[in-house]
Amino acid sequence: MKDHLVKATAEGVRVYAAVTTGLVNEGIRRHACYPVAAAALGRTMTGALLMAANLKNKECLTVKFNGDGPLGTVAADASPEGFVRGYVMHPQVELPLNAQGKLAVGDGIGHGLLSVTRFTGLKEPVTGSSEIVTGEIAEDITEYLYVSEQTPSSVGLGVLVGKELKALAAGGFFIQPLPDADDAVLDRLEKNLAQVRPVSAMVADGLDARGIIAELLRGFSIRYLTETELAFRCQCSKARIEEVLMSLGEKDLDALVQDGKAEVGCQFCGEKYQFDAAELIALRDAARTMRRVRAES
Ligand code: ZN
């Protein structure tokens, strides 16, 4: 099954569901994640895609967990076109299972701030933040939406990590009551959600996003809307890495030229870019010229 996200509405609620097993595995592979990091990254990327589904075309957002746990920062960028990229600062942390016998994502994330930045392409990016509640990602995003955007919602995210450091199933959902939802509908929704099994179990059973929505909203009359294909994709390129190198100081660039070669990795996707001596000298000289032009103008 290809990764995908489906939007739907039912009496007074809107719901998005996503299957993300493939792109989560891509993230795990690129960053060589151990299980706790795999689950944290997978949930964060899936959550970012669900939140980005609300954006307009060409907008995007960054979800960033700045916790004090051993995983360090966990972040993901996602767009409504269905592209996501993400990283965990320390992907090879090993932690014992938590009291419920599950991967200890909350302990890995720790306490701190969850921030969400929206890039609209027109104005300055807008950042909101909230305290990390449990570090289990879904609860934190729910809290963020409530505190920072005054939007009550229900978010579920799940990654089933198998042996061999692979996600066997990953997915998530996002449910939001519309302003005109009546109390009886909300009661029914609450009862459904209290009984529902983890979303990773639904995906592991072979449900697609429509199937997840049907299970979440059992008894509702569901209207399915759009379906979007999802994929891990980074916007990095050698040209962008060159810009970063050019912005280094003269000393650092000189040191790279002395080394005779450099390898620069993209933080978001792990892609490695190689620079040989001639390229480094050209970059240093270009940076020098730019500085001179700036100094003279
Ligand atoms: Zn990249």
Side-chain angles (χ1 to χ4, degrees):
M1 195 194 308
K2 274 193 180 159
D3 293 340
H4 63 289
L5 183 149
V6 168
K7 295 183 181 185
T9 57
E11 304 95 307
V13 296
R14 97 172 128 186
V15 55
Y16 304 163
V19 172
T20 57
T21 315
L23 66 90
V24 169
N25 273 316
E26 177 84 14
I28 293 172
R29 186 184 65 75
R30 285 181 170 273
H31 297 293
C33 293
Y34 284 9
V36 176
L41 178 63
R43 292 182 199 173
T44 304
M45 289 199 300
T46 304
L49 281 165
L50 289 163
M51 289 171 84
N54 251 337
L55 300 176
K56 297 189 190 75
N57 270 350
K58 307 289 171 207
E59 296 185 345
C60 62
L61 58 73
T62 299
V63 175
K64 196 180 239 181
F65 284 84
N66 278 311
D68 61 2
L71 290 173
T73 301
V74 179
D77 286 347
S79 72
E81 290 84 12
F83 299 119
V84 68
R85 60 180 191 168
Y87 69 89
V88 178
M89 196 176 277
H90 304 294
Q92 291 169 355
V93 165
E94 289 184 89
L95 292 173
L97 296 178
N98 67 17
Q100 290 80 44
K102 300 263 169 68
L103 290 172
V105 175
D107 296 334
I109 296 278
H111 302 283
L113 271 192
L114 160 60
S115 63
V116 177
T117 305
R118 286 165 203 274
F119 301 86
T120 61
L122 296 171
K123 291 172 251 163
E124 290 290 297
V126 184
T127 301
S129 62
S130 61
E131 291 280 334
I132 294 170
V133 191
T134 61
E136 295 287 335
I137 314 295
E139 288 90 335
D140 305 306
I141 291 177
T142 305
E143 174 77 5
Y144 167 80
L145 290 168
Y146 190 69
V147 169
S148 188
E149 303 187 4
Q150 287 80 47
T151 317
S153 63
S154 179
V155 179
L157 301 168
V159 178
L160 185 62
V161 182
K163 296 193 172 84
E164 323 284 326
L165 302 179
K166 247 186 95 128
L168 303 176
F173 66 81
F174 164 87
I175 303 179
Q176 206 168 56
L178 298 171
D180 58 354
D182 69 46
D183 289 346
V185 166
L186 297 181
D187 279 353
R188 262 165 69 203
L189 180 62
E190 212 169 296
K191 282 200 187 96
N192 278 17
L193 292 178
Q195 294 167 358
V196 92
R197 56 189 172 145
V199 65
S200 57
M202 297 185 209
V203 178
D205 262 1
L207 292 192
D208 62 4
R210 283 165 194 258
I212 294 169
I213 292 171
E215 188 159 324
L216 293 169
L217 298 182
R218 192 163 284 161
F220 284 72
S221 50
I222 302 162
R223 206 172 129 235
Y224 293 102
L225 305 169
T226 55
E227 174 166 339
T228 309
E229 245 180 59
L230 304 175
F232 188 105
R233 187 197 275 183
C234 192
Q235 300 98 307
C236 69
S237 63
K238 192 156 181 178
R240 289 209 180 181
I241 303 283
E242 280 174 2
E243 280 170 30
V244 174
L245 287 176
M246 296 259 292
S247 68
L248 293 174
E250 178 121 30
K251 250 196 191 152
D252 292 331
L253 276 166
D254 274 338
L256 290 177
V257 168
Q258 295 273 300
D259 291 344
K261 62 178 165 41
E263 181 184 87
V264 184
C266 169
Q267 182 180 39
F268 265 99
C269 69
E271 194 70 38
K272 302 260 193 292
Y273 294 91
Q274 315 289 339
F275 294 87
D276 63 20
E279 289 173 311
L280 290 168
I281 290 169
L283 281 173
R284 181 192 59 185
D285 294 349
R288 227 178 241 162
T289 309
M290 261 175 62
R291 257 192 296 273
R292 200 175 304 136
V293 170
R294 250 183 235 142
E296 284 165 6
S297 62

